[in-house]
Short mmCIF file of all heavy atoms in Angstrom, two decimals:
data_model
loop_
_atom_site.label_atom_id
_atom_site.label_comp_id
_atom_site.label_asym_id
_atom_site.label_seq_id
_atom_site.Cartn_x
_atom_site.Cartn_y
_atom_site.Cartn_z
N PRO R 130 150.93 14.23 227.93
CA PRO R 130 150.10 14.33 229.13
C PRO R 130 150.90 14.63 230.41
O PRO R 130 150.43 15.34 231.27
CB PRO R 130 149.42 12.98 229.24
CG PRO R 130 149.85 12.17 228.08
CD PRO R 130 150.83 12.94 227.28
N GLN R 131 152.10 14.07 230.54
CA GLN R 131 152.88 14.30 231.75
C GLN R 131 154.37 14.43 231.38
O GLN R 131 155.11 13.46 231.41
CB GLN R 131 152.70 13.16 232.76
CG GLN R 131 153.39 13.43 234.08
CD GLN R 131 153.13 12.33 235.09
OE1 GLN R 131 152.74 11.22 234.76
NE2 GLN R 131 153.36 12.63 236.35
N PRO R 132 154.81 15.66 231.03
CA PRO R 132 156.22 15.83 230.68
C PRO R 132 157.12 15.40 231.84
O PRO R 132 156.81 15.63 233.00
CB PRO R 132 156.35 17.33 230.42
CG PRO R 132 154.97 17.77 230.07
CD PRO R 132 154.06 16.90 230.88
N MET R 133 158.23 14.78 231.46
CA MET R 133 159.18 14.26 232.45
C MET R 133 160.55 14.87 232.25
O MET R 133 160.87 15.37 231.17
CB MET R 133 159.30 12.73 232.30
CG MET R 133 157.99 11.97 232.37
SD MET R 133 157.30 11.88 234.01
CE MET R 133 158.31 10.61 234.72
N THR R 134 161.36 14.84 233.30
CA THR R 134 162.76 15.20 233.22
C THR R 134 163.55 14.13 233.95
O THR R 134 162.97 13.17 234.46
CB THR R 134 163.02 16.61 233.80
OG1 THR R 134 164.36 17.01 233.49
CG2 THR R 134 162.78 16.67 235.29
N TRP R 135 164.87 14.28 234.02
CA TRP R 135 165.73 13.31 234.69
C TRP R 135 166.40 13.98 235.86
O TRP R 135 166.92 15.07 235.72
CB TRP R 135 166.77 12.77 233.71
CG TRP R 135 167.60 11.67 234.28
CD1 TRP R 135 168.82 11.78 234.88
CD2 TRP R 135 167.26 10.29 234.34
NE1 TRP R 135 169.26 10.56 235.30
CE2 TRP R 135 168.32 9.62 234.97
CE3 TRP R 135 166.16 9.55 233.92
CZ2 TRP R 135 168.32 8.24 235.19
CZ3 TRP R 135 166.17 8.19 234.13
CH2 TRP R 135 167.22 7.55 234.76
N GLY R 136 166.37 13.37 237.01
CA GLY R 136 167.03 13.94 238.18
C GLY R 136 166.30 13.51 239.43
O GLY R 136 165.85 12.37 239.55
N ALA R 137 166.19 14.43 240.37
CA ALA R 137 165.49 14.18 241.62
C ALA R 137 164.74 15.44 242.00
O ALA R 137 165.25 16.55 241.83
CB ALA R 137 166.48 13.79 242.72
N ALA R 138 163.53 15.30 242.51
CA ALA R 138 162.72 16.46 242.87
C ALA R 138 163.11 17.03 244.23
O ALA R 138 162.97 18.22 244.47
CB ALA R 138 161.24 16.10 242.86
N ARG R 139 163.62 16.17 245.14
CA ARG R 139 163.98 16.62 246.49
C ARG R 139 165.28 15.96 246.91
O ARG R 139 165.60 14.85 246.46
CB ARG R 139 162.87 16.22 247.47
CG ARG R 139 161.57 16.99 247.29
CD ARG R 139 160.45 16.44 248.17
NE ARG R 139 160.12 15.03 247.88
CZ ARG R 139 159.38 14.64 246.85
NH1 ARG R 139 158.90 15.51 246.00
NH2 ARG R 139 159.12 13.37 246.65
N PRO R 140 166.03 16.61 247.78
CA PRO R 140 167.26 15.96 248.29
C PRO R 140 166.94 14.60 248.89
O PRO R 140 165.95 14.44 249.61
CB PRO R 140 167.76 16.93 249.35
CG PRO R 140 167.17 18.25 248.99
CD PRO R 140 165.83 17.93 248.37
N GLY R 141 167.76 13.62 248.57
CA GLY R 141 167.57 12.27 249.08
C GLY R 141 166.73 11.38 248.19
O GLY R 141 166.71 10.16 248.36
N ASP R 142 165.99 11.98 247.23
CA ASP R 142 165.21 11.17 246.29
C ASP R 142 166.18 10.44 245.36
O ASP R 142 167.23 10.97 245.01
CB ASP R 142 164.29 12.03 245.43
CG ASP R 142 163.05 12.52 246.17
OD1 ASP R 142 162.86 12.12 247.35
OD2 ASP R 142 162.29 13.29 245.57
N PRO R 143 165.82 9.23 244.91
CA PRO R 143 166.66 8.57 243.93
C PRO R 143 166.64 9.34 242.59
O PRO R 143 165.62 9.92 242.23
CB PRO R 143 166.03 7.19 243.77
CG PRO R 143 164.62 7.34 244.25
CD PRO R 143 164.64 8.46 245.27
N VAL R 144 167.75 9.32 241.91
CA VAL R 144 167.84 9.98 240.60
C VAL R 144 167.15 9.09 239.56
O VAL R 144 167.39 7.88 239.53
CB VAL R 144 169.31 10.24 240.22
CG1 VAL R 144 169.42 10.78 238.81
CG2 VAL R 144 169.95 11.19 241.21
#
Side-chain angles (χ1 to χ4, degrees):
Q131 185 177 19
M133 306 287 282
T134 190
W135 186 265
R139 291 173 299 281
D142 284 356
V144 174

